[in-house]
């Protein structure tokens, strides 16, 4: 039997900066009796929003069974559970295996979006990921690690599209990433690495496929970083004194073009 009110809310805690949790996520965290957070990446500062007497668990040192027992027992006792994932919970967060168990136990749950580190990293780079005439597609992917990746989704295959790519969970294998990307992108394609986007110690390394691996090694970045590659990166403001990347100027977006009519605005001509 599940008592009234028992529910698990999977909440995207955002990339790090505590203000980047959504208003809804923060409210649910404030109301939660039990909080389970992914301590390896979720900023503990978001826990300041939790009730003083909430039971708080760091899932980093727990296995799936232990995590699920805490959440299932609490929800069955009519408690509200906030399960905090880094970024957005629908990307690389093992959400489904937790949700499957809740379904089996007939425990209600909801998923509350968060700001993915892919978006926070693009913001840190001050770059738009889609631009007319350059690319209209963004690929979220990763290099194969302990988790396998379907053959058709190898980086070398995806690179052939020349779309913008946000590569998660792969910074520890930067040389391999570059080697695979070279199958599709030219060597002068801009690429950037954002370490701990929105945290106080955020670091940005920009380069091209020719030099990024070496720059990342020199910067000592080995984990918690997003790799973004693609021609839209060459469009941002140049860092002072740098000569990086090739900077083809993209076409302007049609959205604000004076000749472009859309639902809310008649064209100027
Ligand atoms: N659900 C998360 C991703 C979890 S997988 C999201 O939407 O962001 C963990 C990977 O996300 C890390 O290996 C890294 O590639 C990336 N990541 C998480 N937080 C990050 C941050 N603050 N800055 C850069 N990359 C980050």
């Amino acid at each position: 039997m599940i008592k009234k009110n028992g529910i698990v809310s999977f909440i995207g805690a955002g990339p790090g900066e505590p203000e980047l949790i959504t208003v809804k996520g923060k409210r649910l965290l404030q109301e939660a009796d039990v909080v389970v957070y992914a301590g390896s990446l979720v900023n503990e500062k978001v826990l300041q929003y939790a009730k003083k007497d909430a039971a708080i668990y760091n899932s980093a040192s727990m296995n799936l069974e232990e995590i699920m027992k805490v959440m299932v027992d609490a929800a069955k006792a009519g408690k509200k559970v906030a399960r905090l994932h880094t970024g957005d919970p629908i990307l690389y967060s093992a959400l489904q295996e937790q949700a499957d168990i809740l379904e089996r136990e007939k425990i209600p749950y909801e998923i509350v979006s968060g700001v993915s580190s892919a978006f926070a990293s693009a913001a840190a780079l001050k770059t738009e990921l889609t631009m007319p005439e350059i690319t209209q597609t963004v690929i979220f992917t990763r290099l194969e690690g302990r988790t396998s990746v379907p053959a058709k989704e190898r980086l070398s295959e995806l690179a052939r599209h020349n779309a913008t790519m946000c590569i998660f969970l792969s910074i520890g294998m930067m040389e391999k990433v570059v080697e695979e990307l070279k199958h599709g992108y030219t060597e002068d394609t801009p690429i950037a690495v954002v370490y701990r986007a929105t945290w106080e110690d955020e670091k940005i390394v920009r380069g091209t496929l020719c030099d990024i691996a070496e720059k990342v090694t020199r910067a000592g970045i080995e984990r918690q970083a997003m790799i973004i590659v693609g021609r839209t990166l060459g469009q941002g403001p140049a860092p002072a004194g740098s000569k990086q990347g090739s900077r083809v100027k993209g076409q302007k977006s049609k959205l604000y073009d004076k000749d472009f009519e859309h639902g809310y605005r008649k064209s100027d001509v």
Side-chain angles (χ1 to χ4, degrees):
M1 264 291 284
I2 301 147
K3 287 204 186 142
K4 219 170 122 247
N5 295 334
I7 184 166
V8 174
S9 306
F10 290 97
I11 301 169
E17 156 69 62
E19 283 194 335
L20 284 173
I21 191 169
T22 64
V23 175
K24 183 172 182 179
K26 180 179 167 188
R27 175 179 59 78
L28 291 169
L29 186 50
Q30 285 166 334
E31 292 170 4
D33 306 297
V34 174
V35 177
V36 185
Y37 72 104
S40 51
L41 281 167
V42 168
N43 190 340
E44 293 192 350
K45 283 189 185 162
V46 297
L47 301 176
Q48 70 193 335
Y49 304 134
K51 284 198 280 205
K52 288 266 171 308
D53 59 350
I56 297 186
Y57 297 84
N58 180 349
S59 64
S61 54
M62 299 160 79
N63 61 34
L64 180 67
E65 213 173 296
E66 291 164 339
I67 295 169
M68 294 316 296
K69 180 162 173 30
V70 166
M71 301 207 292
V72 168
D73 288 354
K76 282 190 172 169
K79 293 182 178 164
K80 291 184 174 157
V81 180
R83 170 70 169 124
L84 290 177
H85 281 281
T86 177
D88 190 299
I90 56 122
L91 285 172
Y92 307 108
S93 54
L95 177 75
Q96 199 59 52
E97 58 202 67
Q98 301 173 68
D100 286 348
I101 294 172
L102 297 180
E103 297 258 0
R104 214 169 55 216
E105 299 279 344
K106 303 207 168 20
I107 291 171
Y109 68 91
E110 63 187 331
I111 300 170
V112 181
S113 307
V115 177
S116 173
S117 58
F119 299 122
S121 298
L125 294 168
K126 297 193 169 72
T127 192
E128 196 175 344
L129 298 180
T130 57
M131 280 183 191
E133 311 292 328
I134 297 180
T135 184
Q136 292 291 291
T137 303
V138 183
I139 297 173
F140 294 147
T141 190
R142 60 169 302 170
L143 204 60
E144 185 160 278
R146 269 176 300 172
T147 307
S148 65
V149 170
K152 279 188 184 163
E153 296 170 26
R154 288 188 62 125
L155 278 190
S156 52
E157 288 295 319
L158 298 177
R160 296 186 202 284
H161 294 281
N162 273 229
T164 304
M165 250 199 258
C166 298
I167 307 169
F168 292 73
L169 294 158
S170 305
I171 193 68
M173 298 169 279
M174 195 61 199
E175 289 197 359
K176 175 107 171 64
V177 168
V178 169
E179 188 191 304
E180 299 246 347
L181 292 178
K182 282 183 181 169
H183 285 265
Y185 299 93
T186 53
E187 292 204 340
D188 63 347
T189 304
I191 178 166
V193 166
V194 184
Y195 169 74
R196 283 165 64 88
T198 78
W199 291 71
E200 278 162 15
D201 54 354
E202 172 187 294
K203 250 190 248 174
I204 293 177
V205 178
R206 291 176 188 262
T208 64
L209 288 183
C210 287
D211 59 12
I212 194 76
E214 191 204 323
K215 286 181 172 176
V216 165
T217 307
R218 239 187 294 139
I221 301 173
E222 290 168 353
R223 57 193 189 101
Q224 291 184 26
M226 177 64 52
I227 306 164
I228 303 187
V229 62
R231 289 246 161 238
T232 68
L233 278 180
Q235 306 291 314
S242 99
K243 286 191 202 151
Q244 54 93 151
S246 59
R247 315 178 154 268
V248 269
K249 268 285 155 226
Q251 297 283 310
K252 284 213 184 100
S253 154
K254 295 264 188 293
L255 188 57
Y256 299 114
D257 189 303
K258 66 181 171 48
D259 299 332
F260 188 60
E261 233 178 62
H262 60 71
Y264 297 96
R265 181 163 57 79
K266 288 265 173 256
S267 79
D268 294 347
V269 290

